[in-house]
Amino acid sequence: MRCKALRWLWFDQHAPITEYFAVKVLGKQLLLNTVRGMNHHSTSASSSSHALLEGIAIATNKLLTIRDHHDAEQQAMAALGQSIQVDRIYIFENHPHPESGEVCTSQRWEWVALGIVPEIDNPILQNLYYYDFIPRWYNWLGRGKVISGLVEEFPASEQEVLAPQGIQSILVVPITIRDLFWGFIGFD
């Protein structure tokens, strides 16, 4: 397997450091991100870069070698989550609401660290209207932009969904398939 990676950093005086990794695996371009606090030192940055790349390699291997799609997703998220030391990774899929036909999103997969309460069965996270709870997300993510930051600084409608889950900071990256905004992957 051939894997080529490019790394760059994004800095904001009010937000954590966001590292972006553009990774090309078997001809497919993937964009992966990590977030870390401003107090990490350069040796920590090197260490986290190594851990992230190792996690990407293991996750990619799981996705390419495990036949059962659900098991592959779960094991890939576990490998990535453990390597970058986040509490939770989840994937949401966009789809028409079963009753109204309006665009909404539903949680499809989740991995949680030991001691973290899973939210995969939370009914609030199924058929969630973007425009009612997370209105900026659809437009922002649909344009390929990343959402990240401290939940306490997010709009009230977003805090209403995120805070009850104990989420303090978050990174959300769009998933695009064939130029269509399919959903997103989140890290908190």
Side-chain angles (χ1 to χ4, degrees):
M1 173 173 33
R2 297 181 68 163
C3 178
K4 180 178 170 185
L6 170 68
R7 174 179 171 252
W8 66 97
L9 298 174
W10 175 76
F11 298 92
D12 182 308
Q13 65 182 4
H14 302 295
I17 298 171
T18 303
E19 293 182 79
Y20 295 90
F21 292 86
V23 180
K24 194 166 193 171
V25 179
L26 298 176
K28 303 271 187 189
Q29 189 74 26
L30 306 172
L31 179 63
L32 301 164
N33 304 279
T34 60
V35 175
R36 67 177 190 271
M38 297 293 286
N39 60 350
H40 282 62
H41 303 292
S42 59
T43 55
S44 177
S46 174
S47 167
S48 24
S49 295
H50 176 74
L52 175 63
L53 290 175
E54 184 177 337
I56 291 169
I58 294 168
T60 301
N61 180 274
K62 302 288 185 193
L63 291 170
L64 294 173
T65 60
I66 298 173
R67 290 191 185 274
D68 181 87
H69 181 66
H70 181 73
D71 287 345
E73 289 286 341
Q74 289 301 125
Q75 290 187 37
M77 287 190 302
L80 193 55
Q82 291 165 358
S83 70
I84 60 175
Q85 299 178 348
V86 294
D87 291 335
R88 181 185 342 259
I89 299 177
Y90 38 85
I91 296 175
F92 278 72
E93 178 184 12
N94 297 335
H95 59 89
H97 191 278
E99 295 172 9
S100 71
E102 290 183 53
V103 66
C104 65
T105 191
S106 293
Q107 186 174 11
R108 300 298 190 213
W109 291 278
E110 178 185 47
W111 169 85
V112 294
L114 189 62
I116 302 298
V117 176
E119 294 289 339
I120 191 71
D121 295 323
N122 184 342
I124 292 173
L125 303 178
Q126 301 302 313
N127 301 313
L128 181 67
Y129 286 111
Y130 277 102
Y131 296 111
D132 286 349
F133 296 100
I134 47 178
R136 73 180 172 124
W137 289 32
Y138 187 77
N139 293 325
W140 198 258
L141 294 168
R143 292 189 315 228
K145 302 209 180 258
V146 171
I147 294 172
S148 66
L150 300 174
V151 171
E152 67 185 18
E153 297 173 358
F154 283 21
S157 63
E158 295 173 16
Q159 289 183 34
E160 186 179 315
V161 174
L162 302 171
Q165 299 174 57
I167 300 172
Q168 296 176 359
S169 62
I170 192 169
L171 172 67
V172 180
V173 180
I175 299 172
T176 304
I177 299 175
R178 296 186 181 139
D179 297 324
L180 178 68
F181 172 38
W182 181 89
F184 59 86
I185 184 168
F187 304 83
D188 60 64

